[in-house]
Amino acid sequence: MIALTLPELKTAASCIFTKDTFDYFLVKEITISTSNTFHVDGKLHPDYFTDEEKEALRDPVYSDWKTLRPFCYQLIKGKKLPQSFRLVFQLSDSNVEKFLKQHNFSCQVSDIGGLYLHFRYENHTLSAISGTSLNFFSLDKTIDTAWDEMVKRILKLSGIFFEAG
């Protein structure tokens, strides 16, 4: 796990809320505080969707950021900054599989509980925090380190400047 400060708030927020930079992530949780606090758990309600719509979903359990991003942008846009927000993203299984292959890890997608990217804005500071969850016990931190480096690479390629925590 690494915690990075994103000092260029406007650039980072633009990449998060107005561009497709993070659209391939699933949403575990969102909390946005403006005049009220808005909370989204990210979980889909399967009964809401037709069979056709279910087949079109990228993930059967969680919404993707591409779907929720416009709603979240509507909550934060305006002349005033939000009081705070917290976004918890998780890499989809298909992208976890690509990540494991790219790094030649011998474990399976089912061994990974989640590869996470958190964005937290509070006290006028925006942070990005990486996180991993494994479904097995290991003292080896190779997967954690590789994910930390991947998060840095994603931010850098997106034009988001960061400083170590």
Side-chain angles (χ1 to χ4, degrees):
M1 181 179 95
I2 55 170
L4 305 168
T5 302
L6 310 178
E8 296 175 3
L9 180 61
K10 190 172 185 175
T11 300
S14 175
C15 285
I16 295 167
F17 290 102
T18 67
K19 297 180 181 173
D20 64 359
T21 309
F22 301 99
D23 283 358
Y24 55 92
F25 279 94
L26 302 176
V27 174
K28 291 286 282 191
E29 185 179 348
I30 300 169
T31 303
I32 298 175
S33 293
T34 56
S35 59
N36 292 281
T37 298
F38 303 89
H39 182 79
V40 177
D41 69 6
K43 289 183 182 174
L44 295 169
H45 296 282
D47 295 342
Y48 179 79
F49 300 98
T50 65
D51 289 339
E52 281 181 0
E53 290 170 328
K54 285 179 191 174
E55 287 179 27
L57 294 172
R58 205 165 43 138
D59 185 85
V61 179
Y62 291 100
S63 294
D64 56 27
W65 180 237
K66 181 178 184 175
T67 303
L68 295 178
R69 180 170 46 88
F71 301 107
C72 294
Y73 178 65
Q74 289 300 315
L75 292 172
I76 67 154
K77 78 175 189 175
K79 293 182 180 182
K80 292 183 179 180
L81 292 173
Q83 289 185 323
S84 65
F85 64 77
R86 188 170 74 106
L87 312 173
V88 181
F89 295 157
Q90 180 178 345
L91 204 61
S92 66
D93 284 351
S94 61
N95 283 317
V96 169
E97 185 175 6
K98 290 176 189 176
F99 171 80
L100 294 174
K101 285 181 182 177
Q102 180 181 12
H103 291 88
N104 296 315
F105 291 124
S106 60
C107 61
Q108 304 297 313
V109 173
S110 60
D111 295 329
I112 307 297
L115 298 177
Y116 299 101
L117 175 56
H118 301 232
F119 287 104
R120 183 175 33 184
Y121 174 74
E122 57 190 7
N123 300 322
H124 305 287
T125 302
L126 179 58
S127 302
I129 303 149
S130 66
T132 58
S133 173
L134 305 178
N135 292 330
F136 62 92
F137 177 76
S138 176
L139 293 173
D140 181 9
K141 298 298 178 193
T142 309
I143 293 173
D144 300 34
T145 303
W147 178 241
D148 293 345
E149 292 305 313
M150 180 64 77
V151 166
K152 289 179 184 177
R153 193 171 326 137
I154 291 167
L155 295 174
K156 187 174 184 178
L157 290 172
S158 302
I160 299 174
F161 177 74
F162 57 86
E163 299 170 343

